[in-house]
Structures are given as C-alpha cells and as structure tokens.
Amino acid sequence: DNTILIFTSTNGMLLGRHGLWGNGHASNPINMFDETIGVPMIWQWPGRVPVQSSRPELVDFTDFLPTVCEAAGIKAPDRNLSGRSYLPLVTNRPLPKKEPWKQLVFGHFRNTDMARDNYFKVIVRNNGQGPNELYDLRKDPRERVNQYDNPGFVTVRDGLAKQLAE
C-alpha cells in the first residue's frame, strides 16, 4: 500500500510507424516523431493514482526528479532544477490556479532540436540550416505534412523557433 511502481523507458519506438523501426536513429536525418520523443510511463500507486487514467498535459524529463521527490515526501535537491513536480497530474488533483501547467516541451538529439506544444511541433536541424520541419498536430497528428515552408504557418514556426532558441 505504500509502494510506488513506475515503469518507464529512455524513449519511445517507431515499431513500423512512418515506415521505420527503432528510435531517432531510424532515419537520416534523425527524426523527432512523437513516437520516438514520447517516453512511455506507467504509475502504479494504489489509492493515489487512478487506475487506467491518462492525462493530456505535456511533461518533460526534467519534471521527473521533482515529481518522485514529492511522491516520496522528500525535498528535491537544492540545485538549479528547471523541472516542476507533476504529481498533482498523476494523482488527478487540481493544479493551483495561479500556477497553470506549462504548454511547451523541448527535445534535443545530436544536431536536432524540437519544441512542441499541444498544437504544433517545430524541428530545427543543424542550427537552422535544415532540413527543418513544422507539423500542425491538430490536423496532422501522424506528422505527414511538413508545413515549415508554408507561408500560412510562418508566425507559428517563428514563434516556436524563437522559444526553442531561448
């Protein structure tokens, strides 16, 4: 009753999606498909974590240590941690109204950087030299239509790229 089991992995796998097997290394250039950047995670904590629940919020690996520390009832290390505990999300408790959950996550793998929110994902390679990608995840959740050079998406593209650079 007082044991938390957390099953996780380093990254997701394509398993034939997009015609590829493996992870980010499965293609050249390196890919940042959601299937590879998404980390599988299952929590088992009887009486605290709802059974068979999932959440739509985006969390980052930097959020893991603060979350586990809070779950264990200990203070996170006194370091410059950029993450925030997502334990309220795991246990289905409301977040403080003055502290909404972040809407943007980042990824980096070799020469490739990525910024993703709930609607769009920008992928920038070789310090912007490309090949770069932008996906409208609402209309194209399988990331098949690259909108990076589409003039209709320039504001979204540049906004995400700016946040990524910062």
Side-chain angles (χ1 to χ4, degrees):
D1 288 345
N2 63 355
T3 301
I4 304 170
L5 296 175
I6 305 170
F7 296 92
T8 189
S9 173
T10 57
N11 57 265
M13 300 295 269
L14 289 164
L15 303 174
R17 293 178 202 100
H18 306 280
L20 302 167
W21 289 87
N23 55 21
H25 290 288
S27 61
N28 185 13
I30 289 168
N31 72 76
M32 286 277 189
F33 291 123
D34 269 2
E35 293 90 349
T36 62
I37 63 169
V39 174
M41 184 174 291
I42 301 170
W43 282 65
Q44 172 68 29
W45 196 5
R48 305 225 180 146
V49 174
V51 177
Q52 294 185 351
S53 66
S54 65
R55 299 291 302 229
E57 291 87 1
L58 300 171
V59 297
D60 190 287
F61 188 72
T62 61
D63 302 321
F64 186 70
L65 179 62
T67 304
V68 171
C69 288
E70 183 181 352
I74 61 174
K75 187 176 181 287
D78 288 330
R79 295 189 180 125
N80 186 14
L81 296 178
S82 60
R84 172 182 173 196
S85 173
Y86 54 83
L87 191 63
L89 303 177
V90 172
T91 57
N92 207 26
R93 293 186 329 238
L95 292 167
K97 291 186 190 275
K98 292 186 178 186
E99 297 177 38
W101 193 252
K102 64 186 170 196
Q103 299 296 317
L104 188 64
V105 292
F106 302 96
H108 171 79
F109 188 47
R110 294 196 178 166
N111 67 333
T112 304
D113 297 298
M114 180 273 313
R116 183 198 193 286
D117 62 21
N118 286 317
Y119 305 108
F120 298 97
K121 179 196 295 183
V122 69
I123 300 164
V124 178
R125 294 187 179 87
N126 303 311
N127 295 317
Q129 299 304 306
N132 302 317
E133 300 170 57
L134 175 73
Y135 296 102
D136 181 343
L137 299 173
R138 294 171 297 179
K139 294 180 182 171
D140 181 22
R142 303 317 261 165
E143 301 172 67
R144 293 185 176 147
V145 181
N146 183 358
Q147 302 288 356
Y148 194 85
D149 293 322
N150 183 336
F153 288 85
V154 72
T155 302
V156 170
R157 180 195 73 199
D158 292 351
L160 281 173
K162 180 179 183 241
Q163 290 180 292
L164 181 60
E166 289 172 356

PDB file of all heavy atoms in Angstrom, residues 18-43:
ATOM      1  N   HIS A  18       5.592   5.314 -39.690  1.00  0.00           N
ATOM      2  CA  HIS A  18       6.355   6.145 -40.637  1.00  0.00           C
ATOM      3  C   HIS A  18       7.288   5.280 -41.493  1.00  0.00           C
ATOM      4  O   HIS A  18       8.260   5.782 -42.055  1.00  0.00           O
ATOM      5  CB  HIS A  18       7.162   7.228 -39.916  1.00  0.00           C
ATOM      6  CG  HIS A  18       6.334   8.083 -39.007  1.00  0.00           C
ATOM      7  ND1 HIS A  18       5.575   9.125 -39.483  1.00  0.00           N
ATOM      8  CD2 HIS A  18       6.125   8.026 -37.670  1.00  0.00           C
ATOM      9  CE1 HIS A  18       4.933   9.688 -38.459  1.00  0.00           C
ATOM     10  NE2 HIS A  18       5.245   9.038 -37.358  1.00  0.00           N
ATOM     11  N   GLY A  19       7.022   3.987 -41.537  1.00  0.00           N
ATOM     12  CA  GLY A  19       7.849   3.075 -42.324  1.00  0.00           C
ATOM     13  C   GLY A  19       9.212   2.815 -41.714  1.00  0.00           C
ATOM     14  O   GLY A  19      10.126   2.375 -42.417  1.00  0.00           O
ATOM     15  N   LEU A  20       9.361   3.079 -40.414  1.00  0.00           N
ATOM     16  CA  LEU A  20      10.654   2.959 -39.743  1.00  0.00           C
ATOM     17  C   LEU A  20      10.558   2.076 -38.503  1.00  0.00           C
ATOM     18  O   LEU A  20       9.510   1.971 -37.881  1.00  0.00           O
ATOM     19  CB  LEU A  20      11.163   4.348 -39.333  1.00  0.00           C
ATOM     20  CG  LEU A  20      11.341   5.377 -40.453  1.00  0.00           C
ATOM     21  CD1 LEU A  20      11.534   6.763 -39.857  1.00  0.00           C
ATOM     22  CD2 LEU A  20      12.514   4.996 -41.329  1.00  0.00           C
ATOM     23  N   TRP A  21      11.689   1.498 -38.135  1.00  0.00           N
ATOM     24  CA  TRP A  21      11.797   0.739 -36.887  1.00  0.00           C
ATOM     25  C   TRP A  21      12.863   1.413 -36.034  1.00  0.00           C
ATOM     26  O   TRP A  21      13.767   2.041 -36.545  1.00  0.00           O
ATOM     27  CB  TRP A  21      12.177  -0.714 -37.166  1.00  0.00           C
ATOM     28  CG  TRP A  21      11.043  -1.446 -37.779  1.00  0.00           C
ATOM     29  CD1 TRP A  21      10.741  -1.518 -39.109  1.00  0.00           C
ATOM     30  CD2 TRP A  21      10.019  -2.149 -37.093  1.00  0.00           C
ATOM     31  NE1 TRP A  21       9.596  -2.238 -39.307  1.00  0.00           N
ATOM     32  CE2 TRP A  21       9.133  -2.648 -38.073  1.00  0.00           C
ATOM     33  CE3 TRP A  21       9.754  -2.414 -35.742  1.00  0.00           C
ATOM     34  CZ2 TRP A  21       8.004  -3.381 -37.753  1.00  0.00           C
ATOM     35  CZ3 TRP A  21       8.640  -3.169 -35.431  1.00  0.00           C
ATOM     36  CH2 TRP A  21       7.778  -3.641 -36.427  1.00  0.00           C
ATOM     37  N   GLY A  22      12.756   1.301 -34.749  1.00  0.00           N
ATOM     38  CA  GLY A  22      13.749   1.873 -33.858  1.00  0.00           C
ATOM     39  C   GLY A  22      13.307   3.220 -33.327  1.00  0.00           C
ATOM     40  O   GLY A  22      12.125   3.518 -33.205  1.00  0.00           O
ATOM     41  N   ASN A  23      14.301   4.083 -33.028  1.00  0.00           N
ATOM     42  CA  ASN A  23      14.006   5.378 -32.418  1.00  0.00           C
ATOM     43  C   ASN A  23      14.481   6.507 -33.328  1.00  0.00           C
ATOM     44  O   ASN A  23      14.350   6.418 -34.530  1.00  0.00           O
ATOM     45  CB  ASN A  23      14.640   5.451 -31.025  1.00  0.00           C
ATOM     46  CG  ASN A  23      16.139   5.173 -31.060  1.00  0.00           C
ATOM     47  OD1 ASN A  23      16.784   5.306 -32.094  1.00  0.00           O
ATOM     48  ND2 ASN A  23      16.689   4.779 -29.937  1.00  0.00           N
ATOM     49  N   GLY A  24      15.054   7.550 -32.763  1.00  0.00           N
ATOM     50  CA  GLY A  24      15.527   8.686 -33.562  1.00  0.00           C
ATOM     51  C   GLY A  24      16.596   8.338 -34.565  1.00  0.00           C
ATOM     52  O   GLY A  24      16.749   9.001 -35.588  1.00  0.00           O
ATOM     53  N   HIS A  25      17.345   7.270 -34.288  1.00  0.00           N
ATOM     54  CA  HIS A  25      18.401   6.826 -35.203  1.00  0.00           C
ATOM     55  C   HIS A  25      17.845   6.104 -36.431  1.00  0.00           C
ATOM     56  O   HIS A  25      18.593   5.781 -37.340  1.00  0.00           O
ATOM     57  CB  HIS A  25      19.346   5.832 -34.510  1.00  0.00           C
ATOM     58  CG  HIS A  25      20.204   6.435 -33.456  1.00  0.00           C
ATOM     59  ND1 HIS A  25      21.255   7.253 -33.735  1.00  0.00           N
ATOM     60  CD2 HIS A  25      20.164   6.331 -32.107  1.00  0.00           C
ATOM     61  CE1 HIS A  25      21.842   7.622 -32.616  1.00  0.00           C
ATOM     62  NE2 HIS A  25      21.191   7.084 -31.608  1.00  0.00           N
ATOM     63  N   ALA A  26      16.556   5.830 -36.444  1.00  0.00           N
ATOM     64  CA  ALA A  26      15.976   5.010 -37.505  1.00  0.00           C
ATOM     65  C   ALA A  26      15.946   5.699 -38.858  1.00  0.00           C
ATOM     66  O   ALA A  26      15.608   5.074 -39.857  1.00  0.00           O
ATOM     67  CB  ALA A  26      14.566   4.572 -37.108  1.00  0.00           C
ATOM     68  N   SER A  27      16.274   6.971 -38.906  1.00  0.00           N
ATOM     69  CA  SER A  27      16.236   7.697 -40.171  1.00  0.00           C
ATOM     70  C   SER A  27      17.421   8.652 -40.247  1.00  0.00           C
ATOM     71  O   SER A  27      18.074   8.946 -39.264  1.00  0.00           O
ATOM     72  CB  SER A  27      14.929   8.499 -40.271  1.00  0.00           C
ATOM     73  OG  SER A  27      14.852   9.446 -39.222  1.00  0.00           O
ATOM     74  N   ASN A  28      17.667   9.100 -41.455  1.00  0.00           N
ATOM     75  CA  ASN A  28      18.680  10.111 -41.683  1.00  0.00           C
ATOM     76  C   ASN A  28      18.036  11.180 -42.553  1.00  0.00           C
ATOM     77  O   ASN A  28      17.703  10.907 -43.698  1.00  0.00           O
ATOM     78  CB  ASN A  28      19.904   9.519 -42.377  1.00  0.00           C
ATOM     79  CG  ASN A  28      21.027  10.536 -42.508  1.00  0.00           C
ATOM     80  OD1 ASN A  28      21.000  11.581 -41.890  1.00  0.00           O
ATOM     81  ND2 ASN A  28      21.999  10.207 -43.340  1.00  0.00           N
ATOM     82  N   PRO A  29      17.808  12.381 -42.037  1.00  0.00           N
ATOM     83  CA  PRO A  29      18.272  12.885 -40.751  1.00  0.00           C
ATOM     84  C   PRO A  29      17.510  12.268 -39.575  1.00  0.00           C
ATOM     85  O   PRO A  29      16.454  11.666 -39.754  1.00  0.00           O
ATOM     86  CB  PRO A  29      18.004  14.389 -40.845  1.00  0.00           C
ATOM     87  CG  PRO A  29      16.858  14.517 -41.798  1.00  0.00           C
ATOM     88  CD  PRO A  29      17.035  13.399 -42.787  1.00  0.00           C
ATOM     89  N   ILE A  30      18.060  12.464 -38.376  1.00  0.00           N
ATOM     90  CA  ILE A  30      17.449  11.983 -37.150  1.00  0.00           C
ATOM     91  C   ILE A  30      16.016  12.490 -37.081  1.00  0.00           C
ATOM     92  O   ILE A  30      15.737  13.625 -37.430  1.00  0.00           O
ATOM     93  CB  ILE A  30      18.266  12.491 -35.937  1.00  0.00           C
ATOM     94  CG1 ILE A  30      19.602  11.758 -35.884  1.00  0.00           C
ATOM     95  CG2 ILE A  30      17.493  12.364 -34.644  1.00  0.00           C
ATOM     96  CD1 ILE A  30      20.603  12.361 -34.928  1.00  0.00           C
ATOM     97  N   ASN A  31      15.103  11.632 -36.633  1.00  0.00           N
ATOM     98  CA  ASN A  31      13.704  12.038 -36.546  1.00  0.00           C
ATOM     99  C   ASN A  31      13.318  12.419 -35.127  1.00  0.00           C
ATOM    100  O   ASN A  31      13.953  12.002 -34.163  1.00  0.00           O
ATOM    101  CB  ASN A  31      12.786  10.936 -37.089  1.00  0.00           C
ATOM    102  CG  ASN A  31      12.699   9.750 -36.180  1.00  0.00           C
ATOM    103  OD1 ASN A  31      12.019   9.797 -35.150  1.00  0.00           O
ATOM    104  ND2 ASN A  31      13.379   8.664 -36.541  1.00  0.00           N
ATOM    105  N   MET A  32      12.274  13.227 -35.052  1.00  0.00           N
ATOM    106  CA  MET A  32      11.690  13.640 -33.767  1.00  0.00           C
ATOM    107  C   MET A  32      10.189  13.368 -33.777  1.00  0.00           C
ATOM    108  O   MET A  32       9.398  14.141 -33.253  1.00  0.00           O
ATOM    109  CB  MET A  32      11.945  15.128 -33.522  1.00  0.00           C
ATOM    110  CG  MET A  32      13.350  15.468 -33.145  1.00  0.00           C
ATOM    111  SD  MET A  32      13.570  15.212 -31.385  1.00  0.00           S
ATOM    112  CE  MET A  32      15.178  15.924 -31.145  1.00  0.00           C
ATOM    113  N   PHE A  33       9.795  12.253 -34.389  1.00  0.00           N
ATOM    114  CA  PHE A  33       8.386  11.885 -34.389  1.00  0.00           C
ATOM    115  C   PHE A  33       7.912  11.692 -32.953  1.00  0.00           C
ATOM    116  O   PHE A  33       8.674  11.275 -32.085  1.00  0.00           O
ATOM    117  CB  PHE A  33       8.163  10.596 -35.184  1.00  0.00           C
ATOM    118  CG  PHE A  33       8.369  10.745 -36.671  1.00  0.00           C
ATOM    119  CD1 PHE A  33       9.288   9.956 -37.332  1.00  0.00           C
ATOM    120  CD2 PHE A  33       7.623  11.660 -37.401  1.00  0.00           C
ATOM    121  CE1 PHE A  33       9.485  10.078 -38.696  1.00  0.00           C
ATOM    122  CE2 PHE A  33       7.814  11.791 -38.768  1.00  0.00           C
ATOM    123  CZ  PHE A  33       8.742  11.000 -39.417  1.00  0.00           C
ATOM    124  N   ASP A  34       6.636  11.976 -32.705  1.00  0.00           N
ATOM    125  CA  ASP A  34       6.101  11.829 -31.356  1.00  0.00           C
ATOM    126  C   ASP A  34       6.333  10.434 -30.792  1.00  0.00           C
ATOM    127  O   ASP A  34       6.550  10.269 -29.594  1.00  0.00           O
ATOM    128  CB  ASP A  34       4.605  12.148 -31.324  1.00  0.00           C
ATOM    129  CG  ASP A  34       4.326  13.606 -31.031  1.00  0.00           C
ATOM    130  OD1 ASP A  34       5.289  14.397 -30.885  1.00  0.00           O
ATOM    131  OD2 ASP A  34       3.138  13.970 -30.933  1.00  0.00           O
ATOM    132  N   GLU A  35       6.303   9.432 -31.649  1.00  0.00           N
ATOM    133  CA  GLU A  35       6.510   8.065 -31.164  1.00  0.00           C
ATOM    134  C   GLU A  35       7.906   7.858 -30.583  1.00  0.00           C
ATOM    135  O   GLU A  35       8.100   6.992 -29.739  1.00  0.00           O
ATOM    136  CB  GLU A  35       6.285   7.050 -32.302  1.00  0.00           C
ATOM    137  CG  GLU A  35       4.854   6.980 -32.781  1.00  0.00           C
ATOM    138  CD  GLU A  35       4.557   7.952 -33.924  1.00  0.00           C
ATOM    139  OE1 GLU A  35       5.383   8.834 -34.227  1.00  0.00           O
ATOM    140  OE2 GLU A  35       3.477   7.812 -34.516  1.00  0.00           O
ATOM    141  N   THR A  36       8.885   8.635 -31.042  1.00  0.00           N
ATOM    142  CA  THR A  36      10.244   8.470 -30.521  1.00  0.00           C
ATOM    143  C   THR A  36      10.557   9.414 -29.380  1.00  0.00           C
ATOM    144  O   THR A  36      11.357   9.088 -28.514  1.00  0.00           O
ATOM    145  CB  THR A  36      11.304   8.665 -31.631  1.00  0.00           C
ATOM    146  OG1 THR A  36      11.227   9.985 -32.138  1.00  0.00           O
ATOM    147  CG2 THR A  36      11.139   7.658 -32.732  1.00  0.00           C
ATOM    148  N   ILE A  37       9.948  10.599 -29.368  1.00  0.00           N
ATOM    149  CA  ILE A  37      10.249  11.539 -28.284  1.00  0.00           C
ATOM    150  C   ILE A  37       9.369  11.302 -27.071  1.00  0.00           C
ATOM    151  O   ILE A  37       9.716  11.702 -25.969  1.00  0.00           O
ATOM    152  CB  ILE A  37      10.143  13.017 -28.734  1.00  0.00           C
ATOM    153  CG1 ILE A  37       8.730  13.374 -29.156  1.00  0.00           C
ATOM    154  CG2 ILE A  37      11.164  13.313 -29.807  1.00  0.00           C
ATOM    155  CD1 ILE A  37       8.491  14.844 -29.351  1.00  0.00           C
ATOM    156  N   GLY A  38       8.235  10.658 -27.276  1.00  0.00           N
ATOM    157  CA  GLY A  38       7.353  10.352 -26.156  1.00  0.00           C
ATOM    158  C   GLY A  38       7.928   9.209 -25.331  1.00  0.00           C
ATOM    159  O   GLY A  38       8.297   8.172 -25.865  1.00  0.00           O
ATOM    160  N   VAL A  39       8.021   9.423 -24.044  1.00  0.00           N
ATOM    161  CA  VAL A  39       8.562   8.403 -23.146  1.00  0.00           C
ATOM    162  C   VAL A  39       7.402   7.671 -22.496  1.00  0.00           C
ATOM    163  O   VAL A  39       6.567   8.284 -21.831  1.00  0.00           O
ATOM    164  CB  VAL A  39       9.467   9.042 -22.067  1.00  0.00           C
ATOM    165  CG1 VAL A  39       9.924   8.013 -21.053  1.00  0.00           C
ATOM    166  CG2 VAL A  39      10.662   9.717 -22.730  1.00  0.00           C
ATOM    167  N   PRO A  40       7.338   6.355 -22.665  1.00  0.00           N
ATOM    168  CA  PRO A  40       6.259   5.615 -22.009  1.00  0.00           C
ATOM    169  C   PRO A  40       6.445   5.634 -20.489  1.00  0.00           C
ATOM    170  O   PRO A  40       7.566   5.522 -19.995  1.00  0.00           O
ATOM    171  CB  PRO A  40       6.410   4.196 -22.566  1.00  0.00           C
ATOM    172  CG  PRO A  40       7.787   4.117 -23.111  1.00  0.00           C
ATOM    173  CD  PRO A  40       8.224   5.497 -23.440  1.00  0.00           C
ATOM    174  N   MET A  41       5.349   5.831 -19.769  1.00  0.00           N
ATOM    175  CA  MET A  41       5.422   5.850 -18.312  1.00  0.00           C
ATOM    176  C   MET A  41       4.106   5.353 -17.729  1.00  0.00           C
ATOM    177  O   MET A  41       3.036   5.826 -18.103  1.00  0.00           O
ATOM    178  CB  MET A  41       5.722   7.248 -17.791  1.00  0.00           C
ATOM    179  CG  MET A  41       5.890   7.291 -16.284  1.00  0.00           C
ATOM    180  SD  MET A  41       6.402   8.909 -15.676  1.00  0.00           S
ATOM    181  CE  MET A  41       8.063   8.990 -16.329  1.00  0.00           C
ATOM    182  N   ILE A  42       4.217   4.405 -16.838  1.00  0.00           N
ATOM    183  CA  ILE A  42       3.048   3.858 -16.142  1.00  0.00           C
ATOM    184  C   ILE A  42       3.303   3.951 -14.647  1.00  0.00           C
ATOM    185  O   ILE A  42       4.345   3.501 -14.163  1.00  0.00           O
ATOM    186  CB  ILE A  42       2.802   2.377 -16.534  1.00  0.00           C
ATOM    187  CG1 ILE A  42       2.578   2.259 -18.049  1.00  0.00           C
ATOM    188  CG2 ILE A  42       1.622   1.808 -15.742  1.00  0.00           C
ATOM    189  CD1 ILE A  42       2.564   0.836 -18.555  1.00  0.00           C
ATOM    190  N   TRP A  43       2.356   4.540 -13.935  1.00  0.00           N
ATOM    191  CA  TRP A  43       2.438   4.648 -12.473  1.00  0.00           C
ATOM    192  C   TRP A  43       1.452   3.678 -11.848  1.00  0.00           C
ATOM    193  O   TRP A  43       0.303   3.588 -12.282  1.00  0.00           O
ATOM    194  CB  TRP A  43       2.052   6.057 -12.022  1.00  0.00           C
ATOM    195  CG  TRP A  43       3.106   7.093 -12.211  1.00  0.00           C
ATOM    196  CD1 TRP A  43       3.616   7.532 -13.397  1.00  0.00           C
ATOM    197  CD2 TRP A  43       3.765   7.828 -11.190  1.00  0.00           C
ATOM    198  NE1 TRP A  43       4.550   8.509 -13.165  1.00  0.00           N
ATOM    199  CE2 TRP A  43       4.653   8.712 -11.821  1.00  0.00           C
ATOM    200  CE3 TRP A  43       3.680   7.837  -9.795  1.00  0.00           C
ATOM    201  CZ2 TRP A  43       5.460   9.590 -11.111  1.00  0.00           C
ATOM    202  CZ3 TRP A  43       4.471   8.719  -9.094  1.00  0.00           C
ATOM    203  CH2 TRP A  43       5.367   9.578  -9.747  1.00  0.00           C
TER     204      TRP A  43
END
